[in-house]
Amino acid sequence: MITYFHIMFDNASKSRTFKVALFDLDGTLFDTEDQYTIFWGSMGRRFRPDVPNLEHLIKGTTLKQIFANYFPSPEVQAQILPLLEAYEAQMQYAFFPGVRAFIDDIRRQGVKCAVVTSSDQKKMSNVYRMMPEFQSLFDRVLTAEDFTASKPNPDCYLRGASVFGADISECVVFEDAYTGLEAGMSSGIFTIGVASGHTPEEIADRCNHVITTFEGLDFQKIEEIIRK
């Protein structure tokens, strides 16, 4: 049974329809956040012991932003990059429960699906290798290379709408991280927060609606949610 919290914002409209789903990747579709927390925690302790909980501060940001904000030294970046690439190459990529069934259901209803991620193409090549069916589930996969500005800038989700020629009123964003939720809300697109790394209460005022699981979620329920 799906549990959710509902908050109304100015960008929630009864005229909305559900034609395009724009998904963040890590922490939204994939249960990978704990793995990244381990990696960046170790990098923080090794190179930035002066920044407590760095592994939590970097959630939802691009590698470029992480380097610029916390590891500006080219020498340090040169040490971290091969470690990150090796780590991502052996990571486990698994959907959260209910994700596959939800995507299958909404695609049967004609909904276009895109991944909108801060990950780069090199990381995604590891995903495709580990999960060969991944690309067949989505109409587009937009990565860090496709955006002029990263989350929390709304550019990524506005581009997600534009690649399908869709109005923002026809789209729904699914996000878990603070920066991604801000990007979704700033775009004017109805934004559903996925309470995976945060509690529902922690993200309730950062989105239009909160879900705690994809299990039991389907096209009809999303239509009901966005029209409330």
Side-chain angles (χ1 to χ4, degrees):
M1 176 176 161
I2 188 165
T3 304
Y4 54 79
F5 298 71
H6 187 72
I7 304 292
M8 293 299 293
F9 286 80
D10 289 341
N11 71 344
S13 167
K14 289 183 172 60
S15 65
R16 292 182 176 274
T17 58
F18 185 33
K19 296 184 179 179
V20 175
L22 304 173
F23 296 98
D24 174 51
L25 185 63
D26 294 293
T28 298
L29 295 178
F30 278 170
D31 187 9
T32 50
E33 287 300 301
D34 288 347
Q35 296 176 77
Y36 278 115
T37 296
I38 292 170
F39 177 82
W40 287 112
S42 68
M43 295 300 101
R45 289 187 294 274
R46 178 173 174 180
F47 297 107
R48 291 301 306 269
D50 58 313
V51 183
N53 300 315
L54 180 143
E55 62 269 32
H56 300 294
L57 299 175
I58 57 88
K59 286 184 183 295
T61 59
T62 65
L63 179 60
K64 183 177 179 180
Q65 290 172 317
I66 294 170
F67 277 170
N69 293 334
Y70 299 104
F71 305 99
S73 165
E75 291 78 14
V76 172
Q77 293 177 15
Q79 293 181 66
I80 292 176
L81 191 57
L83 296 174
L84 176 60
E85 291 176 352
Y87 188 81
E88 288 182 331
Q90 57 80 49
M91 279 177 56
Q92 298 299 308
Y93 298 101
F95 286 121
F96 280 111
V99 166
R100 282 294 304 268
F102 176 64
I103 292 173
D104 289 344
D105 179 77
I106 64 176
R107 293 194 72 185
R108 284 194 296 268
Q109 301 299 322
V111 175
K112 296 294 185 181
C113 296
V115 171
V116 181
T117 177
S118 298
S119 299
D120 59 20
Q121 291 180 5
K122 190 160 191 176
K123 182 267 185 71
M124 293 309 298
S125 67
N126 292 318
V127 173
Y128 304 150
R129 176 174 53 82
M130 299 287 286
M131 187 181 286
E133 74 277 17
F134 182 88
Q135 287 177 288
S136 67
L137 299 175
F138 301 95
D139 299 285
R140 292 292 298 269
V141 177
L142 303 178
T143 62
E145 292 86 354
D146 294 306
F147 317 125
T148 57
S150 300
K151 303 170 186 178
N153 189 290
D155 174 68
C156 58
Y157 283 118
L158 292 173
R159 177 158 175 76
S162 70
V163 297
F164 297 114
D167 187 83
I168 60 173
S169 66
E170 300 173 321
C171 303
V172 176
V173 164
F174 296 85
E175 262 284 1
D176 71 295
Y178 288 157
T179 55
L181 293 169
E182 183 178 344
M185 292 297 288
S186 297
S187 74
I189 297 172
F190 193 99
T191 301
I192 293 180
V194 181
S196 57
H198 299 289
T199 67
E201 291 76 16
E202 286 172 334
I203 63 173
D205 62 349
R206 298 171 182 264
C207 57
N208 298 109
H209 191 89
V210 178
I211 62 172
T212 59
T213 179
F214 280 94
E215 293 185 291
L217 197 64
D218 58 18
F219 175 82
Q220 183 177 352
K221 286 187 173 68
I222 297 297
E223 286 269 281
E224 292 170 357
I225 288 167
I226 66 177
R227 290 175 176 172
K228 284 184 178 179

